Amino acid sequence: MKNIRVGLLGFGAMGKAHAYCIDNLKYFFSEIPFSATVGGICTTSYERSLSIAEQYGFGRAFADEDELIFSDDIDVIDICTPNAMHYETLKKAISAGKLIYCEKPLCLNYKEAAEIAKLASESGIICNIVFNNRHLAPIMRAKEIIEEGSLGRILSFSCEYLHNSALDTKRNAGWKQRRDVCGGGVLVDLGSHCIDLMYFLCGSFSSVYGESQIAFPERAGVDGSPWKTDADEAFYMLCNMENGAKGTITLSKITSGANDGLAFSIHGERGSISFSLMQPNYLRFYDGSEKTPELGGYCGYRDIECVGRYPAPAGAFPSPKAPSSWLRGHVQSMYDFLRSVYTSTPSAPSFDDAAHVQAVIDAAYLSDKENRAVKISEIEKSI
Ligand SMILES: NC(=O)c1ccc[n+]([C@@H]2O[C@H](COP(=O)([O-])OP(=O)(O)OC[C@H]3O[C@@H](n4cnc5c(N)ncnc54)[C@H](O)[C@@H]3O)[C@@H](O)[C@H]2O)c1
């Protein structure tokens, strides 16, 4: 497929980000053998879709997602709608034989996600769940360091994703604070990123214990009137991994002083790494195998300058020395998926990966409800 025509569903924050990535691949990658265009856009009304299509130069405008999904001139369905809509859209896109790029989380729960992962695998379509943080330069370097054995056996991790967005109770709630639309609260919205990162870097989860927190049960609702939230504002997890490692994950949208505070440390028997999204140019590495001279020598954590260093065919723009950004990870994620489409090879992270993340989320919610540790296998066997 030389020109890949993407049908975009939703044009909020992520619809815009994906369209930016598609439009700008040619600047970031040199001599790529394929091109991609937004061939169709579907939002909540035809008028809005048309105005977006005209403003951004997208192909056709749609008001009905079925028309977009079953269009012959669309190759890829790119899902950027609220979480509750993903499941039905995914089923239709798979039945239409379309290739799929879907924002996280895949669905509302493990049952839906496992069904979609099975359907996608049976149909053999190329599909990808957007866990964009995997595509940040320091995370790619972290994976390399772990795979080359520089940490040795991984013993523990701590991971957190902190926002301050829910501290203001007078600010209208959004759909991410509605359990029925989001599938949960912060555990789903931010937790899916942390669970995926620890899964990517440390391996599969075996069991979790979790506790939720709603500190402000009453706040302004979606329309501004007084409203009671049922979605967790913070969530705290203790995790056991299949390989014996243990870790903690802290998620919160009620953290004063936090902005986009995704951070983690991973500790192995021979060394450690740590990363903060607010300092995205660096991966911190500690080599525990170095002997410490009497006065300390050069021992201690070092900052690896990952900056904008991406593998070929990433070109000279922006310069590999240029500081990195959240958007650059999305560009890489989109490129990796479209390259898989062009070469007809499987894409990662897969819908099976997405289903594992969703099983961990379900296990954490069940743990919170029943006040006990829950094995991931219990969730997997329950469907
Ligand atoms: N990977 C990331 O960095 C990241 C960040 C934020 C959100 N997300 C995910 O992206 C998805 C979208 O989140 P967002 O923040 O862009 O939400 P948003 O509220 O900003 O945008 C949602 C869009 O979907 C549209 N929409 C709603 N119902 C629709 C329908 N029936 N048909 C077509 N369009 C419809 C809305 O008009 C809006 O344009 C969610 O799954 C979310 O979890 C991912």
Side-chain angles (χ1 to χ4, degrees):
M1 204 179 288
K2 194 137 177 67
N3 180 41
I4 302 162
R5 298 159 303 180
V6 180
L8 196 53
L9 276 166
F11 202 63
M14 295 323 298
K16 279 201 188 82
H18 289 202
Y20 171 90
C21 297
I22 294 164
D23 279 355
N24 290 287
L25 285 180
K26 55 186 174 290
Y27 297 107
F28 288 87
F29 301 93
S30 47
E31 295 171 21
I32 43 177
F34 60 86
S35 59
T37 48
V38 180
I41 172 83
C42 178
T43 65
T44 37
S45 75
Y46 180 71
E47 291 68 32
R48 182 160 154 68
S49 299
L50 186 63
S51 119
I52 293 166
E54 285 175 354
Q55 183 182 350
Y56 293 88
F58 300 157
R60 296 200 285 145
F62 296 83
D64 177 356
E65 72 164 24
D66 291 16
E67 281 180 30
L68 174 83
I69 291 170
F70 291 96
S71 274
D72 288 339
D73 55 1
I74 293 294
D75 307 305
V76 167
I77 299 300
D78 183 348
I79 302 172
C80 295
T81 48
N83 306 348
M85 298 179 55
H86 293 189
Y87 173 68
E88 290 300 333
T89 306
L90 284 159
K91 278 205 298 191
K92 283 186 265 187
I94 293 168
S95 77
K98 295 292 154 106
L99 316 176
I100 307 173
Y101 192 65
C102 182
E103 264 301 345
K104 47 59 60 177
L106 190 58
C107 297
L108 289 186
N109 52 51
Y110 176 68
K111 186 170 183 287
E112 290 182 358
E115 181 191 337
I116 294 298
K118 187 164 178 281
L119 287 173
S121 146
E122 284 167 359
S123 69
I125 56 165
I126 295 163
C127 47
N128 188 287
I129 181 80
V130 184
F131 282 127
N132 47 296
N133 295 301
R134 288 191 185 202
H135 303 273
L136 292 167
I139 306 302
M140 292 164 70
R141 181 72 184 111
K143 181 78 173 168
E144 198 175 56
I145 284 174
I146 289 170
E147 284 186 344
E148 73 195 16
S150 298
L151 299 194
R153 182 167 62 105
I154 292 175
L155 306 175
S156 66
F157 65 80
S158 63
C159 183
E160 63 181 29
Y161 208 152
L162 311 178
H163 279 189
N164 64 5
S165 53
L167 275 176
D168 181 0
T169 56
K170 293 196 175 68
R171 180 175 149 185
N172 290 20
W175 64 259
K176 289 169 191 162
Q177 287 158 286
R178 282 183 48 188
R179 184 171 273 271
D180 57 335
V181 186
C182 182
V186 68
L187 172 59
V188 171
D189 190 36
L190 302 183
S192 52
H193 282 300
C194 292
I195 293 166
D196 178 65
L197 272 181
M198 293 304 100
Y199 167 50
F200 180 55
L201 296 173
C202 303
S204 297
F205 286 68
S206 65
S207 72
V208 290
Y209 174 81
E211 287 191 16
S212 65
Q213 181 182 23
I214 297 180
F216 304 99
E218 285 173 23
R219 55 173 60 248
V222 178
D223 62 0
S225 54
W227 176 71
K228 278 200 163 114
T229 184
D230 59 357
D232 37 289
E233 295 164 338
F235 204 97
Y236 309 90
M237 289 169 70
L238 277 174
C239 313
N240 284 293
M241 310 303 273
E242 292 285 2
N243 58 14
K246 290 178 184 286
T248 60
I249 297 180
T250 302
L251 310 156
S252 172
K253 289 193 178 179
I254 50 172
T255 310
S256 179
N259 185 48
D260 200 18
L262 168 63
F264 67 78
S265 299
I266 298 175
H267 310 285
E269 56 189 351
R270 290 178 38 201
S272 296
I273 50 172
S274 75
F275 170 75
S276 164
L277 186 58
M278 297 303 288
Q279 305 286 345
N281 294 302
Y282 300 101
L283 178 71
R284 305 195 72 222
F285 172 65
Y286 175 76
D287 184 353
S289 66
E290 278 178 22
K291 290 255 179 300
T292 310
E294 204 172 14
L295 295 181
Y298 293 95
C299 284
Y301 269 94
R302 72 188 63 155
D303 290 333
I304 302 174
E305 286 178 355
C306 299
V307 279
R309 299 188 207 288
Y310 279 92
F317 175 84
S319 158
K321 283 154 69 180
S324 193
S325 73
W326 173 85
L327 202 50
R328 183 63 184 83
H330 271 287
V331 170
Q332 192 69 29
S333 173
M334 180 64 81
Y335 168 77
D336 285 355
F337 167 69
L338 292 174
R339 186 195 49 196
S340 293
V341 170
Y342 174 68
T343 55
S344 296
T345 49
S347 185
S350 69
F351 284 3
D352 284 331
D353 296 327
H356 181 69
V357 169
Q358 212 110 35
V360 176
I361 291 172
D362 282 12
Y365 277 132
L366 183 61
S367 164
D368 182 39
K369 190 170 159 211
E370 300 191 350
N371 195 22
R372 64 181 175 93
V374 174
K375 288 191 169 147
I376 310 308
S377 57
E378 180 181 333
I379 303 294
E380 288 165 347
K381 283 181 198 147
S382 70
I383 61 162

